[in-house]
């Protein structure tokens, strides 16, 4: 049985005031039946991790560099995230793949670097609307998954895959239940092929893309959906807490 995870991706949003409103929702978040993770901009990571130090609320980064350190002006390393109290890092988000030209090979190097310092990974993959319309969704996802993992095996319990169809992110149009079930069962099969029968079943599979308090219970009850990655709705801690409360806690 996998414990579900509901993760907030604030993206390049939020400030000390949002941290304060999250603090007001602490009791609700702590009472969630699932793991709860908040990924703020890097500048807020330390204060958020200190705010939630003695709670079961986790904090994570949204990206890290593929090298350990060096002359990379403006970048942040995996160990910087760790030092700020991060337990997880989101890697390969489509806003980085498409907006920053990040390819799967680079994502795999980031995964390796993050694992070296003990960060758990939320690896995002997702097809564009054109790829789905051309019948290439599953091939695209398989390619991204296989190429975004380093050659050495990543410990399955430290790996979460987030299926985030690009066309569903921030659009208000979540994928249909049928599409989510098809993709998640495909990804489960691929994880089993890549990591073995036991390991492949330990990997958590999140859905992300316009999840909100209105559609969360339905999506989070689908087979092989082990939680959600939440963008827009996570900027309201009340909404985020309602999504976490709807998660159901464990998947079979
Ligand atoms: C995301 O970007 O990770 C995401 C899921 O965004 P939204 O919930 O706003 O679609």
């Amino acid at each position: 049985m996998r414990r579900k995870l509901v993760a907030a991706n604030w993206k390049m949003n939020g400030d000390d005031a949002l941290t304060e409103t999250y603090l007001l929702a602490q009791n609700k978040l702590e009472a969630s039946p699932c793991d709860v993770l908040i990924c703020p901009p890097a500048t807020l990571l330390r204060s958020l991790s200190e705010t939630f130090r003695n709670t079961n609320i986790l904090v994570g980064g949204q990206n890290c560099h593929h090298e350990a350190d060096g002359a990379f002006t403006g970048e942040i390393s995996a160990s910087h995230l760790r030092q700020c109290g991060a337990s997880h890092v989101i890697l390969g988000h489509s806003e980085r793949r498409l907006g920053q030209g990040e390819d799967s090979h680079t994502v795999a190097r980031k995964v390796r670097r993050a694992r070296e310092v003990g960060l758990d990974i939320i690896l995002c993959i997702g097809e564009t609307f054109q790829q789905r319309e051309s019948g290439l969704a599953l091939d695209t996802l398989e390619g991204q998954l296989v190429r975004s993992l380093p050659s050495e095996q990543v410990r399955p319990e430290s790996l979460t895959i987030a299926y985030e169809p690009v066309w569903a992110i921030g659009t208000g149009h979540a994928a249909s239940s049928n599409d989510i079930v098809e993709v998640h069962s495909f990804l489960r099969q691929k994880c089993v092929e890549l990591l073995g029968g036991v390991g492949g079943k330990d990997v958590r599979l999140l859905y992300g893309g316009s999840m909100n308090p209105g559609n969360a219970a339905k999506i989070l009850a689908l087979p092989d959906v082990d939680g959600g990655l939440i963008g827009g709705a996570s900027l309201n801690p009340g909404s985020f807490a309602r999504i976490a409360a709807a998660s159901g806690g464990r998947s079979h």
Side-chain angles (χ1 to χ4, degrees):
M1 284 219 299
R2 294 173 300 274
R3 189 171 156 80
K4 294 200 185 189
L5 169 68
V6 171
N9 176 13
W10 289 7
K11 313 192 188 199
M12 200 173 72
N13 298 299
D15 50 17
D16 291 335
L18 185 60
T19 301
E20 286 296 314
T21 50
Y22 258 79
L23 186 55
L24 297 176
Q26 178 181 334
N27 289 348
K28 280 190 194 148
L29 290 172
E30 281 213 278
S32 306
C34 58
D35 289 339
V36 170
L37 170 70
I38 307 168
C39 300
T43 50
L44 297 172
L45 203 46
R46 188 182 290 276
S47 69
L48 201 73
S49 75
E50 277 166 11
T51 299
F52 292 124
R53 186 191 296 277
N54 294 315
T55 74
N56 57 13
I57 299 165
L58 303 164
V59 300
Q62 298 177 9
N63 176 45
C64 68
H65 197 266
H66 57 267
E67 292 292 353
D69 50 34
F72 302 105
T73 302
E75 293 289 341
I76 186 158
S77 72
S79 62
H80 289 143
L81 298 179
R82 202 77 178 111
Q83 284 160 38
C84 288
S87 58
H88 290 67
V89 60
I90 298 171
L91 294 174
H93 192 285
S94 60
E95 286 156 14
R96 296 203 59 83
R97 289 180 187 267
L98 300 173
Q100 310 297 320
E102 224 173 67
D103 61 14
S104 292
H105 173 68
T106 305
V107 175
R109 296 178 69 190
K110 293 179 180 219
V111 171
R112 177 181 295 124
R113 206 52 84 182
R115 283 306 303 141
E116 275 171 10
V117 299
L119 287 169
D120 284 356
I121 310 296
I122 301 192
L123 172 63
C124 300
I125 56 174
E127 83 284 1
T128 62
F129 184 70
Q130 289 78 1
Q131 286 162 335
R132 175 156 285 275
E133 286 294 288
S134 326
L136 293 173
L138 297 183
D139 284 349
T140 302
L141 293 166
E142 180 172 7
Q144 286 180 1
L145 175 63
V146 171
R147 286 193 272 277
S148 300
L149 289 173
S151 48
E152 66 278 9
Q153 189 167 318
V154 177
R155 209 161 50 83
E157 317 83 74
S158 65
L159 179 63
T160 295
I161 313 285
Y163 168 51
E164 297 209 307
V166 176
W167 45 272
I169 293 179
T171 60
H173 301 291
S176 69
S177 295
N178 283 350
D179 287 345
I180 297 173
V181 169
E182 183 194 29
V183 168
H184 279 236
S185 106
F186 176 77
L187 293 177
R188 177 65 62 209
Q189 187 195 319
K190 292 297 146 197
C191 286
V192 167
E193 282 169 28
L194 288 166
L195 302 167
V198 178
K201 290 191 178 126
D202 282 341
V203 173
R204 287 195 281 209
L205 301 179
L206 310 188
Y207 169 78
S210 296
M211 206 191 282
N212 58 48
N215 61 21
K218 186 169 150 213
I219 294 174
L220 293 167
L222 296 172
D224 272 315
V225 175
D226 306 314
L229 183 54
I230 322 298
S234 75
L235 298 178
N236 178 329
S239 298
F240 181 65
R242 282 166 61 203
I243 295 171
S247 71
R250 283 184 187 275
S251 335
H252 299 272

